[in-house]
Amino acid sequence: MAEDANSPSDAPRTDKLRLPATCDPPTDSNPAQELVWLIFGATGHMGGSVARTALSHGDKVTAVGRTIENSAEQMKGVIGACEDQDEHDLRNQFETNFMGTLNIIQLSLPYFRSQNSGRYLIFSSTSGALGVPGLGPYCATKYAVEGLIESMLYEVDAFNIKPTLVEPGHVRLDEPFEETKKHNLKNPKFGHFLVKAASEPYSGPNAPAGHARRMLAWLNDQQPTSAVKSAELVWQLGHCSYPPLRLLLGSYAVESIRDRLRSIIEEIEDWKHLSFPPANNEAEESAKDDILDDAKEEPEADAEPES
């Protein structure tokens, strides 16, 4: 799929990036009102880019993050086969990705309700729509977040609170982080993911369970989606009046999720006959066939005698 000038997968120029007019984003004729952002995960690739973008537009930002470490306690995901991940791995991922999200929402909702307005921009990922070999439990946490936000959407709409799931594809860090350079720090190769050693059944060079690790190693620092351009769209999303439930960022996210949905629709169509009676026209044709069969079986009537 060819990238156009408005795709977050291009070089990091943001002057032409605009959300659709239907969601009423900020423009020159519709300037943005100052907002206050509370950004969790601000030391990550996207969190840092969103914080810088919001500040550059004159908004106020409170950034919450953590030091860049590579310990098990700092991990938000585990790369490894489902069978190889123990209970501690599973619970840590759900505590961080699902319970962490739910806790923040439950603590902030009363404030948003009291002012009758609020926005949630929840970063999910393509892993919330796709099953990725080697990331099974991590995907499960993202599926859980997607279900939570989609359900909450209906509950909080009456309070003018609007949540959006942001689903970026593979995001590269394409802006300098001066503090990171100053202290000679950098995000580890696999980000905040713990790579588990594969057990013998899953250790082959082409084992499906190794897909996530091979993919990240292959991408290295060449992820196709720009963090800078994605952050600009997320900032606009925070200011638009009619936000979508989901915002996909980058061609990988669009193509992979669209293919997944297409596959689901095809599978439903293949098996739907087990759940529904025949369509009306099929039933009518069947009834006609039954009538014809009955007519063939009836004996011919005797001829009436001549008068």
Side-chain angles (χ1 to χ4, degrees):
M1 173 178 164
E3 303 292 351
D4 58 36
N6 291 328
S7 170
S9 300
D10 292 332
R13 288 187 56 195
T14 62
D15 51 334
K16 294 184 178 180
L17 280 176
R18 289 287 183 272
L19 290 179
T22 51
C23 67
D24 193 27
T27 62
D28 293 339
S29 59
N30 180 32
Q33 302 297 312
E34 182 185 275
L35 291 181
V36 177
W37 294 68
L38 176 58
I39 301 176
F40 290 87
T43 52
H45 290 182
M46 278 304 306
S49 292
V50 172
R52 282 169 165 74
T53 299
L55 289 170
S56 72
H57 284 289
D59 285 346
K60 295 179 180 178
V61 173
T62 297
V64 181
R66 57 189 179 186
T67 57
I68 301 171
E69 297 180 10
N70 199 20
S71 62
E73 291 73 20
Q74 291 285 324
M75 297 298 107
K76 66 177 184 181
V78 175
I79 297 176
C82 294
E83 186 179 352
D84 288 344
Q85 298 188 35
D86 57 32
E87 183 178 356
H88 179 74
D89 297 328
L90 304 179
R91 291 188 179 277
N92 269 358
Q93 291 175 87
F94 270 93
E95 283 292 327
T96 300
N97 300 331
F98 179 75
M99 292 305 301
T101 300
L102 180 59
N103 290 341
I104 291 169
I105 288 173
Q106 290 181 328
L107 289 171
S108 56
L109 261 177
Y111 173 78
F112 282 161
R113 281 192 293 100
S114 69
Q115 65 178 20
N116 199 42
S117 68
R119 291 301 315 281
Y120 288 104
L121 306 180
I122 307 295
F123 272 81
S124 181
S125 74
T126 54
S127 298
L130 309 169
V132 182
L135 285 177
Y138 175 76
C139 290
T141 68
K142 293 298 184 180
Y143 270 72
V145 169
E146 296 259 336
L148 171 69
I149 300 305
E150 189 163 344
S151 301
M152 191 184 79
L153 170 76
Y154 302 100
E155 300 173 357
V156 301
D157 183 67
F159 309 113
N160 194 33
I161 299 170
K162 302 183 184 303
T164 296
L165 289 157
V166 180
E167 300 178 347
H170 301 300
V171 179
R172 69 180 179 276
L173 183 61
D174 54 358
E175 68 172 325
F177 276 45
E178 295 303 326
E179 286 300 310
T180 297
K181 288 184 173 182
K182 177 180 176 182
H183 297 288
N184 195 29
L185 295 171
K186 63 179 182 178
N187 279 329
K189 185 173 185 180
F190 294 105
H192 289 297
F193 281 84
L194 174 67
V195 182
K196 295 212 74 172
S199 60
E200 192 278 328
Y202 303 103
S203 61
N206 298 315
H211 168 75
R213 180 172 184 173
R214 290 193 299 269
M215 179 179 63
L216 291 177
W218 172 68
L219 284 169
N220 198 8
D221 294 324
Q222 303 302 313
Q223 294 90 339
T225 304
S226 163
V228 174
K229 301 185 81 172
S230 296
E232 171 63 25
L233 291 174
V234 170
W235 176 81
Q236 293 180 29
L237 183 65
H239 285 268
C240 69
S241 303
Y242 308 105
L245 170 59
R246 289 179 175 83
L247 176 65
L248 276 59
L249 297 173
S251 60
Y252 171 78
V254 172
E255 291 181 351
S256 59
I257 293 178
R258 184 170 55 193
D259 288 347
R260 173 61 176 148
L261 294 176
R262 202 177 274 144
S263 172
I264 292 173
I265 294 296
E266 290 174 355
E267 191 171 62
I268 290 173
E269 292 299 315
D270 287 343
W271 293 90
K272 69 180 182 181
H273 66 280
L274 299 177
S275 300
F276 293 96
N280 288 338
N281 59 341
E282 293 179 3
E284 291 172 1
E285 290 297 326
S286 177
K288 289 179 182 178
D289 291 342
D290 291 341
I291 292 172
L292 291 174
D293 289 342
D294 291 343
K296 290 178 181 178
E297 294 173 2
E298 290 179 1
E300 293 184 2
D302 295 334
E304 294 183 4
E306 294 181 0
S307 57

